[in-house]
Amino acid sequence: MNVAKVLDAKGLACPMPIVRTKKAMKEVESGEVLEVHATDAGAKSDLTAWVKSGGHELLEDQEDNGVYKFWIKKG
Amino acid sequence: MAIKEMTVKEVAKKVLNKENMFILDVRTEDAFQDWKIESDSFDYMNVPYFDLLDGVEEIMDDLPKDKDVLVVCAKGGSSQMVGEMLVDEGFTNVYSLEGGMKAWSEHLEPIKVNDLKDGGELYQFVRIGKGCLSYMVVSNGEAAVIDATRMTDVYVNFAKELGVEIKHIFDTHLHADHISGGRTLAEQTGGTYWLPPKDATEVTFDYAKLEDGEHVTIGSTQIDINAIYSPGHTIGSTSFVVDNQYLMTGDILFIDSIGRPDLAGKAEDWVMDLRETLYTRYQELSDELIVLPAHFMIMDELNEDGTVAEKLGVLFEKNHGLNIDDQDEFRKMVTENLPPQPNAYQEIRETNMGKINPEDEKQREMEIGPNRCAVR
């Protein structure tokens, strides 16, 4: 996958992972992919809902050793 | 500007006193639909916090100015952020729920049910956010705890305040909706942990076998706890008659519903056990016994004083699940169209068997959501 930017939001508690993701989204172009790493367990449902409401697309998500990884395509 | 916080204890008081308040829940729509702070006296609005990052102008006109507004999120971080934005816009009646829904899920409100003979006392611990009920029976310096939650310090401190020693800890069955505090509480107090052996075939720790007809005495004045084998929710489910007055039904019989038989994957097998318990075994008991269940599902099940308790005779009249004459209809009701299963119920069962030992934070995550142990 062609990732335009990687955001490290590990160790941040809600609402910061989304606040940072939103900000990072502004720095990528429409159609490009932002990769987000987070450790907050609530990040998955929140990011999924946020991506939907923002008109973006969640291409893939993984959990690896307590780190949640998301690949979001900007809408 | 700083936002005022409201504690879960303060919110619990408002729920129990039926005070009016406005809840601004900033979790996702799914989370809100699934589980929220329930009260008939509250008004609600759900707007996810991530839709408010650029400002709260859009919702300001929808918020009341003349009563308390409580902002609620999962853990208390996002509600603080949204609350601060509202304060900056001039709101003075806004609070953030300290610790969020996680803290709400963990709050226990101890309420005295009644005095027992010879100075004994019976307390119900209402876990108002999740609908779990646990109990402490006190007599002559000794105490028993029934269906303890994992917040075991609450019972330890409560016993300390009363000046009593926890001697016995019972679980009515192997729970699937919440993590039992029974084993931990036994370790903390040196008390005996009793479990129904038919539910405990896979447990990895030592326990005392709780079998039909077992009598346990609390205090020297003999508050008697009499075990009655009452399968159906699980194969080992056991009820207790306390002091010949109270019937602790576990997850077999609730105030407005009955236990579901499917959480250990055995719905078809256990339907007739459930039927026999409810329609034969319980029928043989006195109508005057006061039923104390292990859960409530809706706020209507709470009495004026906040307790969840009703006479068995009244339940035989009013509880729909006790009034289905046709066996096939009963079978259908408890095996088909069941509500969703409790969050992480398999992992919770394994934790209660001692097979896995999740960290505290993981345990909190596993218990998110309502208990969902009933069928109505």
Side-chain angles (χ1 to χ4, degrees):
Chain A
M1 202 180 311
N2 218 337
V3 175
K5 187 178 170 63
V6 179
L7 170 69
D8 180 5
K10 293 197 292 290
L12 296 178
C14 199
M16 291 320 288
I18 300 252
V19 171
R20 294 279 175 84
T21 302
K22 190 181 157 80
K23 206 172 149 207
M25 261 329 220
K26 288 183 180 154
E27 293 163 28
V28 304
E29 301 295 326
S30 183
E32 288 185 338
V33 175
L34 172 70
E35 182 177 326
V36 180
H37 300 179
T39 46
D40 189 298
K44 188 176 174 184
S45 59
D46 286 6
L47 259 174
T48 307
W50 174 78
V51 162
K52 219 166 142 189
S53 85
H56 310 297
E57 191 187 345
L58 182 60
L59 299 175
E60 200 185 324
D61 66 273
Q62 287 176 7
E63 193 200 333
D64 183 19
N65 244 334
V67 180
Y68 301 87
K69 293 182 180 176
F70 309 89
W71 287 268
I72 307 164
K73 188 175 167 184
K74 185 167 178 173
Chain B
M1 238 194 298
I3 169 94
K4 291 173 279 188
E5 300 223 305
M6 198 179 282
T7 64
V8 289
K9 187 159 184 67
E10 289 169 316
V11 178
K13 287 284 177 228
K14 285 180 189 288
V15 172
L16 293 173
N17 295 335
K18 299 187 172 27
E19 286 175 45
N20 184 229
M21 184 161 63
F22 189 94
I23 303 271
L24 171 60
D25 196 317
V26 296
R27 294 173 301 150
T28 63
E29 197 185 327
D30 286 351
F32 176 72
Q33 293 296 341
D34 188 50
W35 177 53
K36 64 177 188 292
I37 298 177
E38 297 285 351
S39 170
D40 292 340
S41 307
F42 290 174
D43 297 304
Y44 300 90
M45 183 166 146
N46 171 225
V47 184
Y49 68 91
F50 48 75
D51 288 342
L52 300 169
L53 294 179
D54 292 329
V56 290
E57 287 83 2
E58 277 180 37
I59 59 164
M60 278 165 52
D61 290 345
D62 299 319
L63 299 178
K65 298 249 172 13
D66 55 349
K67 61 180 164 194
D68 289 348
V69 174
L70 180 66
V71 191
V72 175
C73 70
K75 283 177 269 185
S78 303
S79 59
Q80 207 171 20
M81 178 190 73
V82 172
E84 278 168 9
M85 290 165 89
L86 289 167
V87 169
D88 287 343
E89 295 291 346
F91 281 85
T92 54
N93 55 333
V94 174
Y95 298 81
S96 168
L97 178 62
E98 191 180 345
M101 289 301 281
K102 277 205 176 149
W104 181 241
S105 170
E106 292 185 345
H107 179 67
L108 300 181
E109 190 73 28
I111 303 176
K112 187 169 173 176
V113 177
N114 218 335
D115 289 322
L116 302 174
K117 69 178 175 204
D118 298 334
E121 291 173 311
L122 175 57
Y123 292 90
Q124 185 175 51
F125 290 75
V126 181
R127 187 176 181 182
I128 196 164
K130 199 172 165 65
C132 300
L133 302 167
S134 47
Y135 298 90
M136 191 182 285
V137 177
V138 176
S139 176
N140 224 316
E142 293 186 2
V145 179
I146 294 113
D147 288 331
T149 67
R150 68 182 159 76
M151 283 68 79
T152 53
D153 288 347
V154 175
Y155 311 104
V156 171
N157 292 335
F158 197 79
K160 209 177 278 170
E161 270 175 42
L162 293 178
V164 296
E165 197 181 336
I166 297 174
K167 290 277 194 185
H168 298 277
I169 298 114
F170 299 91
D171 272 343
T172 51
H173 63 288
L174 187 84
H175 296 285
D177 65 290
H178 66 273
I179 294 162
S180 170
R183 187 161 48 120
T184 308
L185 192 55
E187 283 164 10
Q188 277 174 302
T189 61
T192 306
Y193 183 30
W194 298 82
L195 266 179
K198 286 184 179 171
D199 274 5
T201 50
E202 295 178 58
V203 305
T204 60
F205 47 83
D206 292 331
Y207 65 97
K209 288 182 179 167
L210 179 66
E211 284 168 310
D212 192 60
E214 184 80 58
H215 288 260
V216 177
T217 301
I218 310 302
S220 55
T221 49
Q222 299 215 343
I223 300 297
D224 185 45
I225 295 184
N226 176 16
I228 302 172
Y229 180 52
S230 54
H233 175 68
T234 62
I235 191 63
S237 285
T238 301
S239 306
F240 303 105
V241 175
V242 177
D243 200 24
N244 288 319
Q245 295 182 71
Y246 295 94
L247 175 63
M248 295 191 178
T249 53
D251 283 11
I252 288 293
L253 174 62
F254 306 113
I255 303 299
D256 191 42
S257 56
I258 59 175
R260 62 193 287 178
D262 65 312
L263 293 182
K266 303 271 177 64
E268 287 293 336
D269 293 1
W270 295 349
V271 169
M272 292 326 285
D273 287 325
L274 181 63
R275 175 121 188 138
E276 193 185 322
T277 294
L278 293 175
Y279 286 76
T280 307
R281 289 216 122 191
Y282 279 1
Q283 294 278 356
E284 290 161 3
L285 302 172
S286 162
D287 275 359
E288 293 298 307
L289 285 173
I290 293 167
V291 170
L292 298 171
H295 289 298
F296 65 95
M297 260 51 68
I298 52 173
M299 296 311 284
D300 282 352
E301 290 174 286
L302 269 63
N303 298 325
E304 282 296 314
D305 63 355
T307 59
V308 181
E310 185 53 273
K311 275 190 183 172
L312 184 59
V314 173
L315 297 190
F316 277 129
E317 264 175 52
K318 292 191 175 165
N319 188 316
H320 172 66
L322 291 176
N323 286 285
I324 304 169
D325 293 334
D326 186 70
Q327 281 202 11
D328 285 336
E329 197 188 319
F330 181 84
R331 178 186 295 275
K332 269 194 185 145
M333 175 190 150
V334 298
T335 57
E336 294 175 15
N337 300 318
L338 289 168
Q341 288 160 320
N343 188 46
Y345 74 104
Q346 296 288 21
E347 282 174 292
I348 289 176
R349 294 181 72 247
E350 285 178 13
T351 306
N352 287 338
M353 291 178 200
K355 286 182 173 177
I356 55 172
N357 289 297
E359 292 169 22
D360 286 355
E361 191 54 31
K362 174 73 180 162
Q363 295 197 9
R364 279 190 197 106
E365 293 288 339
M366 284 158 63
E367 287 192 334
I368 285 295
N371 65 70
R372 296 208 170 107
C373 287
V375 51
R376 189 168 179 266

